Amino acid sequence: VRELAEEQCVRISEIARRADVSRATVQAFCRDPHHATTIAMWGRLARALDVPLAEIITFVSANEEHE
C-alpha cells in the first residue's frame, strides 16, 4: 500500500480518509499486510487507491516471496 501511495503521490492520511479507516490502521497494514486485516479491509484500501483488489493481493504476495 505504501508503494502504491508513493507512486500516486498520496499520503497515508489521505488513504485512511478515503478508506474510512484510521491512519494507524493503514500504517499497520503497510508494516504487515496480515495485521488484523480482512479481505474487506484490503478492498477498502484498494478502492481508496483506485486499484483493483487483485493488484493489492498480487503485490503483497510478491513481497512475501522476497522475504
Side-chain angles (χ1 to χ4, degrees), residues 24-65:
T25 297
V26 177
Q27 287 175 322
F29 185 87
C30 288
R31 283 191 304 276
D32 177 11
H34 302 290
H35 172 79
T37 58
T38 63
I39 197 71
M41 176 61 69
W42 288 28
R44 291 171 86 168
L45 294 172
R47 281 191 301 279
L49 289 163
D50 197 29
V51 298
L53 176 57
E55 187 171 339
I56 299 275
I57 293 169
T58 301
F59 194 82
V60 169
S61 297
N63 284 338
E64 286 176 348
E65 291 174 7

Side-chain angles (χ1 to χ4, degrees), residues 8-39:
Q8 296 180 19
C9 298
V10 178
R11 293 176 172 245
I12 296 297
S13 57
E14 177 62 15
I15 295 168
R17 186 191 66 74
R18 291 179 187 176
D20 196 27
V21 298
S22 72
R23 186 170 187 262
T25 297
V26 177
Q27 287 175 322
F29 185 87
C30 288
R31 283 191 304 276
D32 177 11
H34 302 290
H35 172 79
T37 58
T38 63
I39 197 71

